[in-house]
Amino acid sequence: MRDFFVDLHIHIGRTASGKPVKITGAKRLTLSNIIEYARSIKGIDMIGIIDCHVPEVIAELEDMIAAGEAIELSEGGIDFHGLTLILGTEMEIYDDNCKGPIHVLAFMPQLQKMKQFSKWLAAHVKNITLSSQRVYEQAKTIQHVVCELGGMFIPAHVFTPHKSLYGKGVENSLREVLDHRKIDAIELGLSSDTAMADQISELHHYSYISNSDAHSLEKIAREYQTIRMEHASFNELRLALHEQEGRKVSANFGLNPYLGKYYYTSCEKCSTIIPNEDDMICPTCEHNRFTKGVYNRLLELKSSDGPLVPNRPPYIHQVPLEFIPKLGSKTLAKLRDHFKTDMAIIHDVPEEGLRHVVSDSIAETIIKARRGELQFHYGGAGRYGKVKDT
């Protein structure tokens, strides 16, 4: 067994014919571009594309397999010459038990299963050709359908203030809406990490995954994980998420939560951090609408004071290359030309090697990011945090 780099939450912006899928996704975010960028630029081994329910995307995948560009694996997933695609979909749930909308992910082992699920889904959404559609059905029924088709069900970015399980959907417990026995993992999101999530005791039974939720090619693998598997397939992934037969998530790599867009409660107009939520007016701009931060929401939900759950994989605070101060697009292209993939630059290239290609200050910042030695300005109210200049 070995560790594979995995990002399981990537959107499609447009189909091959140019039709929109994720409205807010970049036009260059097509299926073929995602596969090439993830494999050759980012250095990822397994991706989850979560708009594979769209009929035109299914047809495109069938054409690629027929043309010999890919092979459907007997153990689930599609192999694109060293990159395994896991077929996924993102849905919005807002049923009788939800306090607000919840986004969830479902993954299917084979194209035929995804076609069956797409047909079922088409009868319960307004537009099957678009991403993240609201499903007019009870959450537990959706879980049952996913389970019956041999799929996996994962609540998405569970602490994000908008459209998430704990940020909006439930008062206290996931059991208010979901069948806890039919959850395969929990996706954390950009403003949280393992230590923060483990403050909620009902999550202690699940593996955590950290994914990019990419809306552009460059955002692929801004968060990811290494997963220990025999080989990259759907069945191996399922075993790993349930920590069976030696398979497991071996490490999570994600933004330091300070860099996320929703870490602290902040003013929606000027992003000033609001330390006291009883304040009715922003002290900077006198605006009166705030977005509750993940940190602040977890203080309300906290049910565990103990240490991390035994045997949790490490959560390594990762700084994507685009967050590195003074590292522009031309310099990044030079790094990629020399060292091939972002995974190599972030994890493996020695400092001396970096110094041969970029300035001493940029090389030093990349190494500090690798060691977890950088400092940050907090993010909030929909604005990312920033790395402080060193």
Side-chain angles (χ1 to χ4, degrees), residues 4-10 46-50 86-90 103-107 152-160 166 183-198 203-213 221-229 234 236-243 247-255 257 312-316:
F4 294 83
F5 288 115
V6 179
D7 179 359
L8 291 171
H9 192 147
I10 300 171
M46 174 184 280
I47 58 172
I49 294 182
I50 47 83
I86 303 296
L87 303 158
T89 181
E90 184 173 34
H103 279 195
V104 299
L105 308 175
F107 296 98
M152 293 188 289
F153 182 93
I154 299 173
H157 44 73
V158 294
F159 301 115
T160 302
Y166 293 107
I183 295 174
D184 292 279
I186 295 291
E187 184 185 68
L188 296 179
L190 302 184
S191 297
S192 61
D193 59 16
T194 295
M196 294 172 69
D198 270 348
L203 296 183
H204 292 178
H205 307 290
Y206 302 109
S207 291
Y208 295 150
I209 57 175
S210 41
N211 300 312
S212 67
D213 194 359
R222 63 178 166 181
E223 295 206 345
Y224 53 94
Q225 49 267 300
T226 50
I227 299 185
R228 190 157 301 159
M229 299 179 283
F234 181 93
E236 288 282 313
L237 175 62
R238 190 204 297 274
L239 288 172
L241 295 183
H242 291 275
E243 296 187 351
R247 282 75 167 169
K248 63 179 182 178
V249 176
S250 52
N252 295 97
F253 295 87
L255 300 183
R312 278 278 192 221
Y315 192 104
I316 298 168

Side-chain angles (χ1 to χ4, degrees), residues 136-370:
Y136 292 88
E137 184 54 89
Q138 299 298 300
K140 292 179 181 178
T141 300
I142 298 169
Q143 285 183 279
H144 175 75
V145 172
V146 171
C147 186
E148 285 292 296
L149 289 170
M152 293 188 289
F153 182 93
I154 299 173
H157 44 73
V158 294
F159 301 115
T160 302
H162 311 291
K163 299 184 178 180
S164 76
L165 185 65
Y166 293 107
K168 200 77 172 178
V170 300
E171 192 70 33
N172 293 296
S173 171
L174 60 82
R175 299 187 189 204
E176 296 168 26
V177 178
L178 301 173
D179 183 341
H180 69 283
R181 299 164 298 181
K182 294 178 180 177
I183 295 174
D184 292 279
I186 295 291
E187 184 185 68
L188 296 179
L190 302 184
S191 297
S192 61
D193 59 16
T194 295
M196 294 172 69
D198 270 348
Q199 294 177 96
I200 301 179
S201 56
E202 69 176 347
L203 296 183
H204 292 178
H205 307 290
Y206 302 109
S207 291
Y208 295 150
I209 57 175
S210 41
N211 300 312
S212 67
D213 194 359
H215 287 48
S216 68
L217 292 173
E218 195 56 60
K219 292 294 190 292
I220 293 172
R222 63 178 166 181
E223 295 206 345
Y224 53 94
Q225 49 267 300
T226 50
I227 299 185
R228 190 157 301 159
M229 299 179 283
E230 190 69 42
H231 42 267
S233 72
F234 181 93
N235 289 353
E236 288 282 313
L237 175 62
R238 190 204 297 274
L239 288 172
L241 295 183
H242 291 275
E243 296 187 351
Q244 295 174 346
E245 300 180 27
R247 282 75 167 169
K248 63 179 182 178
V249 176
S250 52
N252 295 97
F253 295 87
L255 300 183
N256 185 304
Y258 297 164
L259 287 174
K261 295 195 291 185
Y262 302 106
Y263 184 68
Y264 271 135
T265 296
S266 303
C267 173
E268 292 183 359
K269 185 176 182 180
C270 72
S271 297
T272 294
I273 292 171
I274 309 298
N276 183 2
E277 291 186 49
D278 293 331
D279 293 340
M280 301 300 293
I281 300 293
C282 172
T284 301
C285 72
E286 300 186 350
H287 193 64
N288 63 354
R289 289 178 62 88
F290 308 146
T291 298
K292 187 184 291 290
V294 172
Y295 170 84
N296 307 84
R297 175 62 172 143
L298 279 165
L299 290 178
E300 298 173 352
L301 295 168
K302 187 174 180 178
S303 57
S304 174
D305 289 314
L308 292 181
V309 177
N311 301 319
R312 278 278 192 221
Y315 192 104
I316 298 168
H317 289 151
Q318 187 66 72
V319 179
L321 294 174
E322 64 174 326
F323 276 80
I324 300 295
K326 302 174 185 175
L327 179 55
S329 58
K330 290 183 179 179
T331 306
L332 179 55
K334 190 189 298 184
L335 279 169
R336 287 170 172 166
D337 184 57
H338 276 76
F339 304 117
K340 304 309 178 188
T341 70
D342 288 14
M343 293 300 104
I345 297 163
I346 290 170
H347 292 281
D348 299 323
V349 177
E351 186 170 358
E352 278 306 308
L354 295 171
R355 289 180 186 275
H356 284 305
V357 179
V358 297
S359 68
D360 289 351
S361 63
I362 291 176
E364 183 180 359
T365 303
I366 292 172
I367 295 301
K368 282 187 174 181
R370 191 182 294 174

Side-chain angles (χ1 to χ4, degrees), residues 83-129:
L83 174 74
T84 299
L85 165 63
I86 303 296
L87 303 158
T89 181
E90 184 173 34
M91 299 167 281
E92 183 171 299
I93 296 171
Y94 198 175
D95 68 13
D96 297 338
N97 300 308
C98 291
K99 306 296 182 184
I102 297 171
H103 279 195
V104 299
L105 308 175
F107 296 98
M108 294 294 157
Q110 289 97 21
L111 261 176
Q112 185 57 40
K113 295 292 186 181
M114 180 56 79
K115 289 174 77 171
Q116 290 177 249
F117 187 68
S118 177
K119 183 178 180 180
W120 178 87
L121 195 60
H124 296 85
V125 298
K126 290 184 177 179
N127 192 339
I128 193 64
T129 69

